[in-house]
Amino acid sequence: MNELPSFFSVLGIIFVTTIIIFGILLLIATLLIFIMIRRKKIVFPRATLFLLDALYYPLKRLFVYSNMDKSIVDKIEIEIRNGILKNEYLSSKIKDRIVVFPYCLRSIDCKAQVSPELGVNCIKCGKCKIGNLKEICDENSIKVFIAPGGSFVKRVLKRHPCSSVLLIACHAELNEMMRILSTQGIPQYGILLKKTGCIETDVDIELVKEILLGVN
Ligand code: SF4
């Protein structure tokens, strides 16, 4: 008869302890984010990334509830991953690289054909920055994909398993794709769009060229 209350007490203690640990970790993650913003420097990169990955959705909710810019969480994760993986990416052979551009970087007048397997088949018409970058990629045997989201990138990597990947996207998309590729141990680098939105977005073309052709 006495066992039932004690079982529920134990359950209650476990529940409360879990909530307290969760709250403390959320607080530590938030503090780390503010320290990094203030110092303009990444601290404890691997441990911080682990914490931010584990608390990704609660952290974003917390930022929304606190009226703060939730994209900060994505931007910091991207910066940390770039710092950790940049050397590995730059050590890869240029011909083994893949670059993935987002759909929204195209001109609204883009006449390229789209296939579910290959994405947009850019004909280098010159109406957007992708055309110029594709020219450079073709000259250097870098594979180009213009496609939406992480699931497409996963399919591409099944066909080209030994590649390293340069990803270009807005903060949420980019972070999602980098998180997916990280679980597969793929060398990667992410570049944020400098103008986001659903159509005719923009990217720093010089930065893309530098990372596309960069070597260690
Ligand atoms: S350069 Fe390529 S992606 Fe850009 S608008 Fe022309 S065909 Fe489309």
Side-chain angles (χ1 to χ4, degrees):
M1 286 291 279
N2 285 338
E3 275 179 29
L4 207 56
S6 83
F7 170 75
F8 282 113
S9 316
V10 171
L11 213 59
I13 290 167
I14 291 171
F15 179 73
V16 172
T17 310
T18 309
I19 296 286
I20 291 171
I21 292 172
F22 176 76
I24 291 171
L25 289 177
L26 206 56
L27 186 68
I28 293 171
T30 312
L31 281 174
L32 280 169
I33 289 175
F34 284 112
I35 290 169
M36 287 186 286
I37 292 171
R38 209 183 154 91
R39 292 193 190 168
K40 295 188 172 68
K41 190 180 158 203
I42 301 296
V43 291
F44 314 120
R46 286 180 194 275
T48 304
L49 189 59
F50 176 79
L51 202 55
L52 298 192
D53 268 347
L55 297 170
Y56 179 70
Y57 293 105
L59 263 176
K60 286 195 102 172
R61 282 204 168 268
L62 180 70
F63 271 61
V64 172
Y65 288 140
S66 314
N67 247 342
M68 291 186 288
D69 180 5
K70 65 176 179 172
S71 73
I72 289 171
V73 181
D74 292 302
K75 287 173 182 166
I76 286 191
E77 284 205 38
I78 291 163
E79 203 178 326
I80 298 176
R81 272 209 173 85
N82 277 344
I84 294 172
L85 298 168
K86 188 175 184 182
N87 279 343
E88 207 182 335
Y89 169 88
L90 293 177
S91 301
S92 65
K93 290 183 188 148
I94 291 180
K95 69 174 181 54
D96 289 337
R97 291 180 188 171
I98 286 175
V99 56
V100 182
F101 295 106
Y103 270 173
C104 57
L105 197 56
R106 293 178 303 157
S107 157
I108 48 169
D109 296 325
C110 179
K111 299 282 189 295
Q113 290 194 327
V114 184
S115 90
E117 275 298 297
L118 300 171
V120 176
N121 184 16
C122 173
I123 50 171
K124 299 185 262 188
C125 73
K127 286 183 183 156
C128 77
K129 288 181 175 175
I130 296 174
N132 176 251
L133 291 166
K134 183 159 191 311
E135 189 69 51
I136 295 168
C137 291
D138 289 348
E139 284 164 10
N140 289 279
S141 307
I142 299 170
K143 295 164 206 71
V144 176
F145 294 94
I146 306 162
S151 53
F152 184 93
V153 179
K154 272 206 284 194
R155 266 185 283 143
V156 166
L157 285 165
K158 272 193 186 147
R159 294 202 301 272
H160 307 284
C162 299
S163 309
S164 57
V165 187
L166 174 60
L167 298 159
I168 294 146
C170 65
H171 56 87
E173 281 277 319
L174 184 56
N175 194 21
E176 188 202 334
M177 288 194 283
M178 291 184 85
R179 282 155 59 98
I180 291 172
L181 297 195
S182 284
T183 60
Q184 302 178 10
I186 292 164
Q188 54 173 308
Y189 194 89
I191 295 180
L192 279 167
L193 291 170
K194 67 177 185 187
K195 178 185 153 221
T196 55
C198 296
I199 51 164
E200 299 205 333
T201 54
D202 195 14
V203 68
D204 180 344
I205 194 163
E206 292 309 317
L207 178 62
V208 177
K209 283 184 200 169
E210 183 191 321
I211 303 293
L212 256 183
L213 304 175
V215 286
N216 241 346

